[in-house]
């Protein structure tokens, strides 16, 4: 059908996992607005969280797609291995949400806050906030040097933004 949305089906975890007890990522989608079938709500591929496959380059049967309809204020939880995309906004109504990713403690964040941190943001953060953003958990640039030890003492987090590059890459 020419009017069917072409989906960019993907998953948020790094590995397809079929056993729920081995799930590495959970996603919480907080609905700021109503999520409806006509305003582009989340669509998931039915049972994809159990199939142990990556959705990349897979043909999706549109009958497998289920729309996550929820009123504003709701939270939609999915496992990171669930195949999904946003729906097509047919009515032009706003559909805002906040996406929060949770992963096991030993998984590095998807977004590199450390090397993408601006001087302004760096100067506004205290050491606890810098630790939460991962400033004390950066891999060394020379992988031959203790590549399995990426955690640095929080006392080593630089005080000045100008010292950040040297800290990150040495």
């Amino acid at each position: 059908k020419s009017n069917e949305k072409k989906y960019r089906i993907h998953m948020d975890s790094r590995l397809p996992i079929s056993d729920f007890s081995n799930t590495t990522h959970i996603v919480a989608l907080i609905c700021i607005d109503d999520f409806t079938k006509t305003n582009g709500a989340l669509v998931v591929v039915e049972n994809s969280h159990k199939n142990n496959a990556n959705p990349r380059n897979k043909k999706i049967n549109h009958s497998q797609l289920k729309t996550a309809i929820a009123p504003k204020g709701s939270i939609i939880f999915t496992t990171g291995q669930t195949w999904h995309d946003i729906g097509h906004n047919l009515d032009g109504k706003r559909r805002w949400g906040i996406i929060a990713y949770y992963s096991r403690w030993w998984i590095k964040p998807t977004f590199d806050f450390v090397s993408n941190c601006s001087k302004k943001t760096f100067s506004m953060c205290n050491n606890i906030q810098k630790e939460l953003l991962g400033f004390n958990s950066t891999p060394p640039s020379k992988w031959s040097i203790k590549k399995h030890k990426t955690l640095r003492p929080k006392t080593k987090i630089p005080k000045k933004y100008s010292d950040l590059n040297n800290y990150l890459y040495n």
Side-chain angles (χ1 to χ4, degrees):
K1 298 176 186 174
S2 61
N3 63 346
E4 260 186 0
K5 174 178 168 54
K6 183 173 175 129
Y7 289 96
R8 298 170 316 223
I9 299 293
H10 64 281
M11 63 182 184
D12 293 332
S13 67
R14 295 182 178 102
L15 296 169
I17 297 167
S18 58
D19 181 1
F20 181 78
S21 64
N22 291 326
T23 296
T24 58
H25 295 72
I26 296 290
V27 180
L29 174 56
I30 304 164
C31 303
I32 304 299
D33 296 316
D34 291 336
F35 277 50
T36 68
K37 198 165 186 111
T38 58
N39 75 350
L42 174 76
V43 293
V44 297
V45 178
E46 188 175 27
N47 293 316
S48 60
H49 65 291
K50 300 188 272 186
N51 71 10
N52 202 29
N54 193 317
R56 215 174 283 136
N57 302 320
K58 300 279 187 199
K59 183 147 176 70
I60 304 300
N61 182 338
H62 282 244
S63 67
Q64 292 177 281
L65 294 176
K66 303 298 176 195
T67 304
I69 298 169
K72 67 181 176 181
S74 300
I75 301 176
I76 301 168
F77 289 97
T78 64
T79 60
Q81 68 264 25
T82 302
W83 298 8
H84 66 281
D85 195 7
I86 59 169
H88 185 63
N89 190 331
L90 301 170
D91 61 17
K93 290 186 180 169
R94 192 178 90 156
R95 183 226 2 100
W96 281 28
I98 297 172
I99 302 170
Y101 297 94
Y102 300 91
S103 63
R104 297 196 186 244
W105 68 268
W106 44 266
I107 295 177
K108 294 291 183 194
T110 304
F111 185 79
D112 180 3
F113 290 101
V114 178
S115 60
N116 290 294
C117 183
S118 69
K119 184 175 185 174
K120 180 181 177 185
T121 301
F122 184 86
S123 65
M124 290 172 31
C125 293
N126 62 34
N127 270 355
I128 292 171
Q129 292 165 326
K130 289 174 186 169
E131 185 180 1
L132 288 171
L133 291 173
F135 279 86
N136 68 321
S137 181
T138 58
S141 61
K142 296 177 183 164
W143 284 100
S144 60
I145 303 171
K146 300 180 185 177
K147 68 179 176 182
H148 61 284
K149 297 212 179 216
T150 62
L151 193 61
R152 300 177 185 198
K154 51 186 160 189
T155 55
K156 299 283 186 190
I157 296 172
K159 304 256 185 283
K160 297 188 301 189
Y161 185 79
S162 58
D163 296 334
L164 187 58
N165 260 354
N166 192 37
Y167 169 77
L168 292 178
Y169 302 109
N170 290 311

